[in-house]
Amino acid sequence: MSDSEPDEELLSLLRQSLGIGGKIPSKAPDTEVLKGAEYVYDHSIDVALDTYGTKAAAAQIWKLMQEKEYSFKTWSEHSLHPTEKNEDTVNFIYLMDLLNFCFWSESSDPQQRFAIEYRGQRYTGYWSLVAAIRRALEEGIPITTPSFWVNETECTDDLVKHVFRSATSESIPLLDDRITCIREAGRILSEDFDGSILDLIQQANNSAATLVTLLVTHFPCFNDTATFGDSSRTIHFYKRAQILVADLWACFAGKSYGAFHDIETITMFADYRIPQMLHSLGCLRYSPSLENHIRNRKEIESRGSWEVQLRGCSIWCVELIRREILRQHPKAEVNAILIDFFLYDTMKEKELEGVETIPHHRTKSIWY
């Protein structure tokens, strides 16, 4: 190209910047979850990370994951998770993660806590939600259909209560909030995404970070944030938005509706089970006041300082575990999603075996 010939590439970029040549290809947004977690870790007073404990946990976790051949395929091996690879499954996962929050019980009697009876078996916690959805579909209730959520003539509050009816005297926690989430999501999907969850996913252009951003921007019930520190910095957790992306990725094996070119941007999902497991592994340490509070099963304020520290430090801890695994095993196919899934499954096993070393913290909220 001579000096007198125009640089077509630069001209194209100039036209785009002036709005006369199409759009500049957009870069996937940064969810800022990891940045916020590191900030919380740097300024935390009541939760600390044990460096040696974290390194030891990384080695232990990787060893067990290898022994169990743990991968995204494990997701579909859970008997209640859907196995079909179609739009119905996408809708199922969306509803599942829309309502994936607050299953802990105040009852000291495990036999009295909220539970779903399904095909002759009782399920508690997260699995009670999945079982309830499956049961409703088998009863002919189109509970995973977004247009049904906004039809209050057919999808009445009483019907939703029926869907989540308990096998015990204890009702599902925060039922009214769950109904609000269903109604809100149905309305926004109808107004902004032609009533289609597939349209929402397609607008993300195979970007995990973009899908998370779409969810938290359009749907208030996914916008999981808090303020922390003297500067009142906004900390982004986005637990349910991120786990929705992760569940799609795992269910569809990174293909079709689960194909994301930046799946590594998804962090651990800050809930109440993973901090419990990280403490049991010797990764997290609590101040005496916080530890006593948790051991005495006292409730912790949602979006309060203690809760933000627990969640933020847990995200950063899992990130350090991921980095340590990759440092020791550079070719390892591992990300924060798989570590989170593995820790959650392991903690539930310990719960069933009755070998929990510390209770999980108790916070009532729609965020997890």
Side-chain angles (χ1 to χ4, degrees), residues 39-58:
Y39 177 85
V40 171
Y41 162 71
D42 286 339
H43 296 81
S44 181
I45 297 173
D46 296 285
V47 181
L49 267 63
D50 186 303
T51 302
Y52 295 107
T54 300
K55 288 185 176 181

Side-chain angles (χ1 to χ4, degrees), residues 268-368:
M268 159 268 188
F269 321 116
D271 62 359
Y272 48 86
R273 281 298 183 187
I274 305 304
Q276 179 190 23
M277 187 63 190
L278 293 173
H279 184 279
S280 299
L281 287 169
C283 302
L284 294 185
R285 303 295 183 193
Y286 302 154
S287 67
S289 55
L290 174 58
E291 182 156 345
N292 287 336
H293 202 90
I294 292 173
R295 289 192 180 280
N296 289 322
R297 292 177 165 82
K298 294 181 180 179
E299 194 167 331
I300 290 177
E301 179 188 6
S302 176
R303 293 176 166 175
S305 178
W306 273 356
E307 190 216 26
V308 172
Q309 291 178 66
L310 285 164
R311 300 182 78 195
C313 288
S314 295
I315 293 173
W316 189 244
C317 184
V318 169
E319 171 63 14
L320 294 183
I321 289 173
R322 184 192 69 84
R323 293 180 185 181
E324 178 62 18
I325 291 174
L326 289 174
R327 189 181 72 83
Q328 294 289 341
H329 310 278
K331 295 183 179 180
E333 295 183 0
V334 66
N335 56 27
I337 296 171
L338 291 177
I339 296 172
D340 181 288
F341 284 174
F342 177 79
L343 290 174
Y344 180 86
D345 287 346
T346 304
M347 195 66 247
K348 292 300 289 183
E349 290 172 5
K350 288 183 176 293
E351 180 187 27
L352 291 173
E353 295 168 1
V355 292
E356 295 176 296
T357 59
I358 189 172
H360 63 74
H361 74 273
R362 282 158 164 73
T363 296
K364 284 186 179 179
S365 81
I366 68 167
W367 309 120
Y368 62 97

